[in-house]
Amino acid sequence: MPRPSGRLTKEDLDPLVKDAGEGNPAAIHSLLQMIEPVVVRYCRARMGGRDLSYLSADDVAQEVCLAVLKALPDYQDRGGSFLYLVHAIAANKVADAYRAVARDRSEPVPELPERPLLAGNEPETHALHLDLGARLGKLLASLPRVQQEILTLRIAVGFSATETAEALGISPGNVRVTQHRALTRLRGMISVDEF
């Protein structure tokens, strides 16, 4: 189980990964319990909390977990972090979801939503939240890919600098510097009236 602080460390993951790779059902279950919340937060952050046609962030997160399970028997620890593999799989699955939606040429049919709108079901509030999300998404998309990934992992997923560094295969200092530069760049791109 994850430590009380909720942080995933190499020391916590390595024994589970080894046992899960050997087919131990209890280790597989524990490993999935540890990585699934992180994967869901990552997918939701990268997909902006919106459904892409028939794919939702939770569906993509489930695909990521299945791909991680499939990769476990062939995984070899070469001194890096298992989170690096999980992040790589998650990034690829999110990109696959966007590509699948871009190829989808079907025309949606108007239907009643399966769940009510958030915040009192007021259309104006919902539209304002969507507009803000779209504007923030455009700003984030203007950053280089590494800065986008670092901001997503640090802010949306809640990783520490060390965990982000392990997931991306860079140093924690590089994560901090890149995050600072990304936030400074975003501050310079927005005006007070805009938000």
Side-chain angles (χ1 to χ4, degrees), residues 95-171:
D96 290 346
Y98 277 110
R99 281 192 291 274
V101 169
R103 287 190 303 265
D104 184 12
R105 299 290 183 224
S106 64
E107 295 187 25
V109 178
E111 296 177 0
L112 291 174
E114 291 181 14
R115 58 184 189 267
L117 295 174
L118 303 174
N121 201 17
E122 297 176 16
E124 180 182 6
T125 304
H126 184 69
L128 288 174
H129 285 293
L130 287 176
D131 181 51
L132 177 62
R135 288 188 287 166
L136 290 173
K138 284 180 185 176
L139 284 173
L140 192 61
S142 69
L143 295 175
R145 189 73 172 153
V146 173
Q147 290 181 350
Q148 290 178 31
E149 290 294 325
I150 287 174
L151 290 181
T152 299
L153 291 172
R154 293 280 286 141
I155 296 170
V157 177
F159 271 7
S160 67
T162 304
E163 291 170 322
T164 302
E166 287 178 3
L168 296 176
I170 58 178
S171 71

Side-chain angles (χ1 to χ4, degrees), residues 74-107:
D74 297 326
Y75 176 73
Q76 295 177 1
D77 185 6
R78 296 187 177 134
S81 172
F82 182 70
L83 286 176
Y84 185 82
L85 173 69
V86 174
H87 173 263
I89 291 172
N92 286 333
K93 291 293 183 183
V94 168
D96 290 346
Y98 277 110
R99 281 192 291 274
V101 169
R103 287 190 303 265
D104 184 12
R105 299 290 183 224
S106 64
E107 295 187 25

Side-chain angles (χ1 to χ4, degrees), residues 173-188:
N174 194 355
V175 168
R176 290 183 195 94
V177 168
T178 305
Q179 178 183 350
H180 174 74
R181 288 179 181 163
L183 292 173
T184 301
R185 186 171 177 185
L186 286 176
R187 282 186 201 103

